[in-house]
Amino acid sequence: MEIEFEEELSSDFARCISCGGCNIPCPLFNVDQIESSGMRSRIKILSMLSKGKIELTEGILRHVFTCANCGVCNDYCPVGLRPFDLLVRARGSFIDMGYVPLVTVDIRNSFRRVGTPIGDELIKGSWLPPDFQPTKNSETLFFAGCWMHKAIEVALNTRKLLERISGDITTIGPSEPCSGALLYILGEKDLAEDSKRNLEGMISELNPKRIVSGCSLTARIYPDLGFINLSSYILDAIHSEKIKLGKMKGRDNVLPIPSCGRDISFLEILKSLNGLKILEAPEWLCCDCGFTLIYRTDRNIFSRWVQKVLSLAEELGANHIVIEDAGCYAMITEAMQTKGRLKGIKISHISGLIMELLK
């Protein structure tokens, strides 16, 4: 299969010096420590394709599309290539050329059937009252995001917490659309743009003063939407004393799993809580909705990553794992139900932890 990338993209691939800096924070590379798992292998393959040195196969296409989609490697390239951004651009080019990898077909089809890329079994708004109706001109609109509709206890805790902070909150409800952020990083630019426009139209109609996002990936990929990340909103509420928190019972050694953006609010929240010792996490330890592709298409890889996290927690002496992103929490807890649970370690989403400590 012939490949012809646009000149600027091919030129960017050629700038790669193959140093491996992008592998350092790569979650998948750190699971097995093999070259084919890391970002460097993907950029090298794309560079060889652009020069006509290899031919495109379904295996290569799958490899290019399959990563944790964390984007952390962008900050580790010494020549400023932003490897993940290059990968997203290449994925979009492949799809424009008509090369759609089988690995993403189920995600695309799920979105077209039920409006979410995370699976057909999702029922949006099941955590809301049966007679719920969104309210216009509210103080705060809570954009839950697809995974939070599945992690019902997280959605309930988050809604209760936002009500304590703001009082006047609403959601879009069962008709809440996917933001399209996951579709965007998978190269599905047209589907992503349609979804984003649909969401913007619903938000415009409701006209809230602010929007708090329960989906970290949406806030990371679409900064132009002006969404406030949930952790940032909680931290501001703590600083402004809109909520007051008590002390943890006992002594918790916490391993934090932040979302994959560079917002430090999550860690600042944990550091502000009494009774917690925050353990230092390695660069590769982050997780958000971007992991959905690996979770849905290669559960074995995802399960090995979870076991790596649990082994790290045991090694560091953690007795509590606190997770920032709702999607990450849902995926990890589901994987642990099938793989077993590490004894003595509690797992919380940040909203559940804060609700537990509210005075």
Side-chain angles (χ1 to χ4, degrees), residues 2-13 42-52 54 56 60-61 64-65 86-95 97 99:
E2 294 183 359
I3 290 298
E4 187 174 347
F5 293 117
E6 58 185 59
E7 185 176 343
E8 183 181 356
L9 188 55
S10 295
S11 177
D12 284 340
F13 292 143
R42 293 171 174 81
I43 298 300
K44 184 67 174 178
I45 285 171
L46 289 168
S47 179
M48 294 173 72
L49 280 170
S50 71
K51 295 173 183 176
I54 58 174
L56 182 65
I60 287 176
L61 197 60
V64 168
F65 275 77
L86 286 184
L87 192 69
V88 171
R89 287 164 58 193
R91 289 168 173 174
S93 294
F94 280 128
I95 290 174
M97 287 184 273
Y99 301 131

mmCIF file of all heavy atoms in Angstrom, residues 2-13 42-52 54 56 60-61 64-65 86-95 97 99:
data_model
loop_
_atom_site.group_PDB
_atom_site.id
_atom_site.type_symbol
_atom_site.label_atom_id
_atom_site.label_comp_id
_atom_site.label_asym_id
_atom_site.label_seq_id
_atom_site.Cartn_x
_atom_site.Cartn_y
_atom_site.Cartn_z
ATOM 1 N N GLU A 2 0.619 2.160 -0.902
ATOM 2 C CA GLU A 2 1.453 3.355 -1.032
ATOM 3 C C GLU A 2 1.050 4.418 -0.023
ATOM 4 O O GLU A 2 -0.124 4.619 0.259
ATOM 5 C CB GLU A 2 1.341 3.920 -2.450
ATOM 6 C CG GLU A 2 1.908 3.002 -3.518
ATOM 7 C CD GLU A 2 1.853 3.634 -4.889
ATOM 8 O OE1 GLU A 2 1.360 4.784 -4.994
ATOM 9 O OE2 GLU A 2 2.279 2.982 -5.847
ATOM 10 N N ILE A 3 2.055 5.097 0.494
ATOM 11 C CA ILE A 3 1.838 6.142 1.487
ATOM 12 C C ILE A 3 2.519 7.420 1.025
ATOM 13 O O ILE A 3 3.685 7.396 0.582
ATOM 14 C CB ILE A 3 2.432 5.723 2.855
ATOM 15 C CG1 ILE A 3 1.628 4.595 3.462
ATOM 16 C CG2 ILE A 3 2.459 6.908 3.819
ATOM 17 C CD1 ILE A 3 0.190 4.949 3.767
ATOM 18 N N GLU A 4 1.807 8.510 1.106
ATOM 19 C CA GLU A 4 2.408 9.802 0.789
ATOM 20 C C GLU A 4 1.917 10.831 1.799
ATOM 21 O O GLU A 4 0.800 11.337 1.690
ATOM 22 C CB GLU A 4 2.054 10.233 -0.642
ATOM 23 C CG GLU A 4 2.795 11.499 -1.062
ATOM 24 C CD GLU A 4 2.571 11.851 -2.528
ATOM 25 O OE1 GLU A 4 2.048 10.993 -3.264
ATOM 26 O OE2 GLU A 4 2.883 12.983 -2.904
ATOM 27 N N PHE A 5 2.753 11.104 2.802
ATOM 28 C CA PHE A 5 2.414 12.114 3.796
ATOM 29 C C PHE A 5 2.662 13.504 3.219
ATOM 30 O O PHE A 5 3.470 13.671 2.293
ATOM 31 C CB PHE A 5 3.281 11.940 5.046
ATOM 32 C CG PHE A 5 3.014 10.678 5.814
ATOM 33 C CD1 PHE A 5 3.988 9.715 5.960
ATOM 34 C CD2 PHE A 5 1.774 10.459 6.408
ATOM 35 C CE1 PHE A 5 3.750 8.553 6.683
ATOM 36 C CE2 PHE A 5 1.521 9.299 7.123
ATOM 37 C CZ PHE A 5 2.515 8.345 7.266
ATOM 38 N N GLU A 6 2.009 14.491 3.796
ATOM 39 C CA GLU A 6 2.293 15.865 3.393
ATOM 40 C C GLU A 6 3.748 16.188 3.732
ATOM 41 O O GLU A 6 4.343 15.607 4.659
ATOM 42 C CB GLU A 6 1.344 16.842 4.089
ATOM 43 C CG GLU A 6 1.386 16.791 5.601
ATOM 44 C CD GLU A 6 0.339 17.679 6.238
ATOM 45 O OE1 GLU A 6 -0.855 17.482 5.971
ATOM 46 O OE2 GLU A 6 0.742 18.552 7.015
ATOM 47 N N GLU A 7 4.335 17.103 2.982
ATOM 48 C CA GLU A 7 5.774 17.379 3.066
ATOM 49 C C GLU A 7 6.193 17.791 4.484
ATOM 50 O O GLU A 7 7.239 17.350 4.987
ATOM 51 C CB GLU A 7 6.139 18.472 2.071
ATOM 52 C CG GLU A 7 7.634 18.738 2.003
ATOM 53 C CD GLU A 7 7.982 19.768 0.936
ATOM 54 O OE1 GLU A 7 7.135 20.021 0.054
ATOM 55 O OE2 GLU A 7 9.095 20.312 0.996
ATOM 56 N N GLU A 8 5.406 18.633 5.139
ATOM 57 C CA GLU A 8 5.776 19.108 6.471
ATOM 58 C C GLU A 8 5.838 17.954 7.475
ATOM 59 O O GLU A 8 6.741 17.890 8.315
ATOM 60 C CB GLU A 8 4.775 20.163 6.961
ATOM 61 C CG GLU A 8 5.135 20.751 8.315
ATOM 62 C CD GLU A 8 4.113 21.767 8.798
ATOM 63 O OE1 GLU A 8 3.161 22.067 8.050
ATOM 64 O OE2 GLU A 8 4.259 22.258 9.936
ATOM 65 N N LEU A 9 4.889 17.017 7.383
ATOM 66 C CA LEU A 9 4.863 15.883 8.287
ATOM 67 C C LEU A 9 6.067 14.978 8.044
ATOM 68 O O LEU A 9 6.734 14.540 9.003
ATOM 69 C CB LEU A 9 3.558 15.104 8.114
ATOM 70 C CG LEU A 9 3.262 13.978 9.106
ATOM 71 C CD1 LEU A 9 3.313 14.477 10.539
ATOM 72 C CD2 LEU A 9 1.891 13.361 8.814
ATOM 73 N N SER A 10 6.371 14.693 6.792
ATOM 74 C CA SER A 10 7.540 13.865 6.466
ATOM 75 C C SER A 10 8.822 14.525 6.960
ATOM 76 O O SER A 10 9.728 13.845 7.464
ATOM 77 C CB SER A 10 7.628 13.638 4.950
ATOM 78 O OG SER A 10 6.530 12.883 4.491
ATOM 79 N N SER A 11 8.895 15.840 6.827
ATOM 80 C CA SER A 11 10.068 16.577 7.293
ATOM 81 C C SER A 11 10.227 16.464 8.805
ATOM 82 O O SER A 11 11.339 16.323 9.320
ATOM 83 C CB SER A 11 9.951 18.046 6.873
ATOM 84 O OG SER A 11 11.035 18.801 7.379
ATOM 85 N N ASP A 12 9.099 16.516 9.524
ATOM 86 C CA ASP A 12 9.152 16.376 10.982
ATOM 87 C C ASP A 12 9.627 14.988 11.393
ATOM 88 O O ASP A 12 10.412 14.843 12.337
ATOM 89 C CB ASP A 12 7.787 16.671 11.594
ATOM 90 C CG ASP A 12 7.461 18.157 11.633
ATOM 91 O OD1 ASP A 12 8.402 18.969 11.543
ATOM 92 O OD2 ASP A 12 6.271 18.506 11.731
ATOM 93 N N PHE A 13 9.152 13.952 10.702
ATOM 94 C CA PHE A 13 9.617 12.595 11.007
ATOM 95 C C PHE A 13 11.132 12.502 10.843
ATOM 96 O O PHE A 13 11.816 11.859 11.645
ATOM 97 C CB PHE A 13 8.956 11.563 10.084
ATOM 98 C CG PHE A 13 7.482 11.380 10.312
ATOM 99 C CD1 PHE A 13 6.630 11.153 9.231
ATOM 100 C CD2 PHE A 13 6.942 11.432 11.582
ATOM 101 C CE1 PHE A 13 5.276 10.962 9.429
ATOM 102 C CE2 PHE A 13 5.583 11.256 11.785
ATOM 103 C CZ PHE A 13 4.750 11.024 10.709
ATOM 104 N N ARG A 42 7.331 3.774 16.939
ATOM 105 C CA ARG A 42 6.260 4.275 16.075
ATOM 106 C C ARG A 42 6.756 5.415 15.173
ATOM 107 O O ARG A 42 6.427 5.468 13.985
ATOM 108 C CB ARG A 42 5.077 4.717 16.931
ATOM 109 C CG ARG A 42 4.396 3.537 17.632
ATOM 110 C CD ARG A 42 3.352 3.985 18.655
ATOM 111 N NE ARG A 42 2.638 2.832 19.199
ATOM 112 C CZ ARG A 42 3.092 2.054 20.171
ATOM 113 N NH1 ARG A 42 4.260 2.324 20.732
ATOM 114 N NH2 ARG A 42 2.391 1.019 20.598
ATOM 115 N N ILE A 43 7.520 6.332 15.758
ATOM 116 C CA ILE A 43 8.046 7.443 14.963
ATOM 117 C C ILE A 43 9.029 6.926 13.914
ATOM 118 O O ILE A 43 9.051 7.395 12.768
ATOM 119 C CB ILE A 43 8.716 8.488 15.870
ATOM 120 C CG1 ILE A 43 7.691 9.082 16.853
ATOM 121 C CG2 ILE A 43 9.355 9.602 15.034
ATOM 122 C CD1 ILE A 43 6.515 9.772 16.197
ATOM 123 N N LYS A 44 9.851 5.938 14.284
ATOM 124 C CA LYS A 44 10.814 5.368 13.333
ATOM 125 C C LYS A 44 10.086 4.706 12.164
ATOM 126 O O LYS A 44 10.472 4.878 10.991
ATOM 127 C CB LYS A 44 11.684 4.333 14.052
ATOM 128 C CG LYS A 44 12.797 3.741 13.196
ATOM 129 C CD LYS A 44 13.828 4.790 12.848
ATOM 130 C CE LYS A 44 15.010 4.147 12.110
ATOM 131 N NZ LYS A 44 16.015 5.169 11.705
ATOM 132 N N ILE A 45 9.038 3.966 12.465
ATOM 133 C CA ILE A 45 8.253 3.313 11.408
ATOM 134 C C ILE A 45 7.621 4.348 10.480
ATOM 135 O O ILE A 45 7.629 4.206 9.249
ATOM 136 C CB ILE A 45 7.173 2.403 12.031
ATOM 137 C CG1 ILE A 45 7.822 1.130 12.575
ATOM 138 C CG2 ILE A 45 6.090 2.057 11.017
ATOM 139 C CD1 ILE A 45 6.891 0.281 13.400
ATOM 140 N N LEU A 46 7.065 5.409 11.064
ATOM 141 C CA LEU A 46 6.449 6.464 10.249
ATOM 142 C C LEU A 46 7.484 7.145 9.363
ATOM 143 O O LEU A 46 7.210 7.481 8.203
ATOM 144 C CB LEU A 46 5.759 7.482 11.153
ATOM 145 C CG LEU A 46 4.481 6.987 11.833
ATOM 146 C CD1 LEU A 46 4.037 7.958 12.924
ATOM 147 C CD2 LEU A 46 3.360 6.795 10.824
ATOM 148 N N SER A 47 8.693 7.347 9.894
ATOM 149 C CA SER A 47 9.764 7.957 9.108
ATOM 150 C C SER A 47 10.152 7.062 7.935
ATOM 151 O O SER A 47 10.322 7.537 6.798
ATOM 152 C CB SER A 47 10.977 8.204 10.005
ATOM 153 O OG SER A 47 12.040 8.767 9.270
ATOM 154 N N MET A 48 10.251 5.760 8.189
ATOM 155 C CA MET A 48 10.599 4.822 7.117
ATOM 156 C C MET A 48 9.493 4.739 6.066
ATOM 157 O O MET A 48 9.765 4.640 4.868
ATOM 158 C CB MET A 48 10.892 3.449 7.714
ATOM 159 C CG MET A 48 12.134 3.415 8.597
ATOM 160 S SD MET A 48 12.366 1.843 9.450
ATOM 161 C CE MET A 48 12.849 0.785 8.073
ATOM 162 N N LEU A 49 8.233 4.798 6.505
ATOM 163 C CA LEU A 49 7.117 4.824 5.550
ATOM 164 C C LEU A 49 7.180 6.066 4.669
ATOM 165 O O LEU A 49 6.947 6.006 3.461
ATOM 166 C CB LEU A 49 5.781 4.800 6.312
ATOM 167 C CG LEU A 49 5.275 3.461 6.828
ATOM 168 C CD1 LEU A 49 4.077 3.679 7.747
ATOM 169 C CD2 LEU A 49 4.888 2.537 5.666
ATOM 170 N N SER A 50 7.487 7.205 5.282
ATOM 171 C CA SER A 50 7.508 8.463 4.528
ATOM 172 C C SER A 50 8.611 8.483 3.483
ATOM 173 O O SER A 50 8.510 9.174 2.464
ATOM 174 C CB SER A 50 7.674 9.651 5.490
ATOM 175 O OG SER A 50 8.977 9.688 6.040
ATOM 176 N N LYS A 51 9.689 7.698 3.720
ATOM 177 C CA LYS A 51 10.812 7.643 2.784
ATOM 178 C C LYS A 51 10.673 6.485 1.789
ATOM 179 O O LYS A 51 11.549 6.299 0.942
ATOM 180 C CB LYS A 51 12.125 7.500 3.559
ATOM 181 C CG LYS A 51 12.451 8.703 4.428
ATOM 182 C CD LYS A 51 13.680 8.432 5.300
ATOM 183 C CE LYS A 51 13.970 9.609 6.215
ATOM 184 N NZ LYS A 51 15.093 9.328 7.143
ATOM 185 N N GLY A 52 9.587 5.711 1.930
ATOM 186 C CA GLY A 52 9.378 4.593 1.024
ATOM 187 C C GLY A 52 10.273 3.398 1.294
ATOM 188 O O GLY A 52 10.441 2.532 0.437
ATOM 189 N N ILE A 54 9.791 1.092 3.683
ATOM 190 C CA ILE A 54 8.959 -0.064 4.005
ATOM 191 C C ILE A 54 7.566 0.177 3.443
ATOM 192 O O ILE A 54 7.196 1.310 3.131
ATOM 193 C CB ILE A 54 8.873 -0.321 5.534
ATOM 194 C CG1 ILE A 54 8.321 0.916 6.255
ATOM 195 C CG2 ILE A 54 10.220 -0.735 6.106
ATOM 196 C CD1 ILE A 54 8.076 0.689 7.746
ATOM 197 N N LEU A 56 3.321 -0.258 3.863
ATOM 198 C CA LEU A 56 2.295 -0.285 4.903
ATOM 199 C C LEU A 56 1.594 -1.640 4.923
ATOM 200 O O LEU A 56 1.187 -2.153 3.882
ATOM 201 C CB LEU A 56 1.271 0.824 4.670
ATOM 202 C CG LEU A 56 0.150 0.947 5.713
ATOM 203 C CD1 LEU A 56 0.699 1.334 7.063
ATOM 204 C CD2 LEU A 56 -0.893 1.979 5.251
ATOM 205 N N ILE A 60 1.540 -2.920 10.743
ATOM 206 C CA ILE A 60 2.159 -1.610 10.963
ATOM 207 C C ILE A 60 1.099 -0.576 11.310
ATOM 208 O O ILE A 60 1.268 0.241 12.219
ATOM 209 C CB ILE A 60 2.961 -1.184 9.716
ATOM 210 C CG1 ILE A 60 4.253 -2.005 9.616
ATOM 211 C CG2 ILE A 60 3.275 0.309 9.756
ATOM 212 C CD1 ILE A 60 5.060 -1.727 8.365
ATOM 213 N N LEU A 61 -0.012 -0.614 10.583
ATOM 214 C CA LEU A 61 -1.095 0.341 10.842
ATOM 215 C C LEU A 61 -1.610 0.183 12.280
ATOM 216 O O LEU A 61 -1.819 1.169 12.992
ATOM 217 C CB LEU A 61 -2.221 0.107 9.840
ATOM 218 C CG LEU A 61 -3.254 1.224 9.666
ATOM 219 C CD1 LEU A 61 -2.602 2.508 9.195
ATOM 220 C CD2 LEU A 61 -4.331 0.795 8.673
ATOM 221 N N VAL A 64 0.875 1.719 14.755
ATOM 222 C CA VAL A 64 0.858 3.185 14.776
ATOM 223 C C VAL A 64 -0.344 3.714 15.570
ATOM 224 O O VAL A 64 -0.255 4.726 16.262
ATOM 225 C CB VAL A 64 0.848 3.735 13.330
ATOM 226 C CG1 VAL A 64 0.542 5.231 13.323
ATOM 227 C CG2 VAL A 64 2.181 3.461 12.651
ATOM 228 N N PHE A 65 -1.462 3.009 15.489
ATOM 229 C CA PHE A 65 -2.668 3.479 16.160
ATOM 230 C C PHE A 65 -2.760 3.015 17.612
ATOM 231 O O PHE A 65 -3.576 3.534 18.373
ATOM 232 C CB PHE A 65 -3.916 3.015 15.400
ATOM 233 C CG PHE A 65 -4.301 3.923 14.272
ATOM 234 C CD1 PHE A 65 -3.610 3.892 13.078
ATOM 235 C CD2 PHE A 65 -5.345 4.830 14.418
ATOM 236 C CE1 PHE A 65 -3.967 4.734 12.031
ATOM 237 C CE2 PHE A 65 -5.700 5.676 13.385
ATOM 238 C CZ PHE A 65 -5.016 5.634 12.183
ATOM 239 N N LEU A 86 2.739 14.330 16.499
ATOM 240 C CA LEU A 86 3.077 13.783 15.183
ATOM 241 C C LEU A 86 2.267 12.515 14.905
ATOM 242 O O LEU A 86 1.781 12.304 13.793
ATOM 243 C CB LEU A 86 4.568 13.448 15.110
ATOM 244 C CG LEU A 86 5.565 14.598 14.990
ATOM 245 C CD1 LEU A 86 6.972 14.042 14.836
ATOM 246 C CD2 LEU A 86 5.230 15.495 13.816
ATOM 247 N N LEU A 87 2.139 11.690 15.932
ATOM 248 C CA LEU A 87 1.390 10.438 15.782
ATOM 249 C C LEU A 87 -0.070 10.715 15.439
ATOM 250 O O LEU A 87 -0.649 10.076 14.555
ATOM 251 C CB LEU A 87 1.485 9.630 17.070
ATOM 252 C CG LEU A 87 1.012 8.180 17.015
ATOM 253 C CD1 LEU A 87 1.943 7.337 16.166
ATOM 254 C CD2 LEU A 87 0.904 7.595 18.418
ATOM 255 N N VAL A 88 -0.675 11.682 16.129
ATOM 256 C CA VAL A 88 -2.073 12.035 15.856
ATOM 257 C C VAL A 88 -2.236 12.554 14.430
ATOM 258 O O VAL A 88 -3.185 12.195 13.726
ATOM 259 C CB VAL A 88 -2.572 13.076 16.889
ATOM 260 C CG1 VAL A 88 -3.948 13.621 16.497
ATOM 261 C CG2 VAL A 88 -2.643 12.459 18.284
ATOM 262 N N ARG A 89 -1.292 13.390 13.987
ATOM 263 C CA ARG A 89 -1.346 13.906 12.618
ATOM 264 C C ARG A 89 -1.214 12.770 11.603
ATOM 265 O O ARG A 89 -1.910 12.744 10.580
ATOM 266 C CB ARG A 89 -0.242 14.933 12.403
ATOM 267 C CG ARG A 89 -0.500 16.272 13.093
ATOM 268 C CD ARG A 89 0.770 17.111 13.186
ATOM 269 N NE ARG A 89 1.362 17.379 11.870
ATOM 270 C CZ ARG A 89 2.592 17.865 11.719
ATOM 271 N NH1 ARG A 89 3.351 18.113 12.771
ATOM 272 N NH2 ARG A 89 3.058 18.087 10.503
ATOM 273 N N ALA A 90 -0.332 11.812 11.894
ATOM 274 C CA ALA A 90 -0.143 10.680 10.984
ATOM 275 C C ALA A 90 -1.396 9.816 10.922
ATOM 276 O O ALA A 90 -1.795 9.356 9.843
ATOM 277 C CB ALA A 90 1.049 9.840 11.440
ATOM 278 N N ARG A 91 -2.033 9.596 12.070
ATOM 279 C CA ARG A 91 -3.273 8.808 12.091
ATOM 280 C C ARG A 91 -4.336 9.472 11.213
ATOM 281 O O ARG A 91 -5.034 8.803 10.443
ATOM 282 C CB ARG A 91 -3.778 8.677 13.522
ATOM 283 C CG ARG A 91 -2.934 7.772 14.405
ATOM 284 C CD ARG A 91 -3.314 7.916 15.870
ATOM 285 N NE ARG A 91 -2.644 6.962 16.740
ATOM 286 C CZ ARG A 91 -2.728 6.961 18.053
ATOM 287 N NH1 ARG A 91 -3.468 7.881 18.682
ATOM 288 N NH2 ARG A 91 -2.092 6.060 18.775
ATOM 289 N N GLY A 92 -4.457 10.788 11.358
ATOM 290 C CA GLY A 92 -5.424 11.505 10.531
ATOM 291 C C GLY A 92 -5.106 11.375 9.048
ATOM 292 O O GLY A 92 -6.010 11.217 8.214
ATOM 293 N N SER A 93 -3.815 11.402 8.707
ATOM 294 C CA SER A 93 -3.408 11.258 7.302
ATOM 295 C C SER A 93 -3.753 9.882 6.772
ATOM 296 O O SER A 93 -4.227 9.735 5.631
ATOM 297 C CB SER A 93 -1.895 11.504 7.171
ATOM 298 O OG SER A 93 -1.575 12.848 7.467
ATOM 299 N N PHE A 94 -3.521 8.843 7.577
ATOM 300 C CA PHE A 94 -3.869 7.487 7.156
ATOM 301 C C PHE A 94 -5.367 7.379 6.844
ATOM 302 O O PHE A 94 -5.767 6.807 5.832
ATOM 303 C CB PHE A 94 -3.505 6.476 8.238
ATOM 304 C CG PHE A 94 -2.051 6.101 8.278
ATOM 305 C CD1 PHE A 94 -1.328 6.182 9.452
ATOM 306 C CD2 PHE A 94 -1.404 5.655 7.136
ATOM 307 C CE1 PHE A 94 0.009 5.833 9.500
ATOM 308 C CE2 PHE A 94 -0.066 5.300 7.166
ATOM 309 C CZ PHE A 94 0.642 5.391 8.353
ATOM 310 N N ILE A 95 -6.186 7.925 7.741
ATOM 311 C CA ILE A 95 -7.635 7.836 7.550
ATOM 312 C C ILE A 95 -8.058 8.644 6.326
ATOM 313 O O ILE A 95 -8.918 8.201 5.544
ATOM 314 C CB ILE A 95 -8.371 8.306 8.826
ATOM 315 C CG1 ILE A 95 -8.163 7.263 9.935
ATOM 316 C CG2 ILE A 95 -9.867 8.513 8.561
ATOM 317 C CD1 ILE A 95 -8.713 7.659 11.275
ATOM 318 N N MET A 97 -6.335 8.981 3.713
ATOM 319 C CA MET A 97 -5.926 8.175 2.555
ATOM 320 C C MET A 97 -6.757 6.901 2.410
ATOM 321 O O MET A 97 -6.575 6.141 1.456
ATOM 322 C CB MET A 97 -4.433 7.814 2.674
ATOM 323 C CG MET A 97 -3.493 8.981 2.420
ATOM 324 S SD MET A 97 -1.734 8.488 2.464
ATOM 325 C CE MET A 97 -1.364 8.639 4.210
ATOM 326 N N TYR A 99 -6.974 4.447 4.836
ATOM 327 C CA TYR A 99 -6.429 3.325 5.593
ATOM 328 C C TYR A 99 -6.929 3.382 7.026
ATOM 329 O O TYR A 99 -6.376 4.087 7.875
ATOM 330 C CB TYR A 99 -4.901 3.358 5.571
ATOM 331 C CG TYR A 99 -4.306 3.287 4.188
ATOM 332 C CD1 TYR A 99 -3.324 4.187 3.791
ATOM 333 C CD2 TYR A 99 -4.731 2.328 3.275
ATOM 334 C CE1 TYR A 99 -2.770 4.134 2.521
ATOM 335 C CE2 TYR A 99 -4.188 2.266 2.003
ATOM 336 C CZ TYR A 99 -3.209 3.175 1.633
ATOM 337 O OH TYR A 99 -2.663 3.111 0.366
#
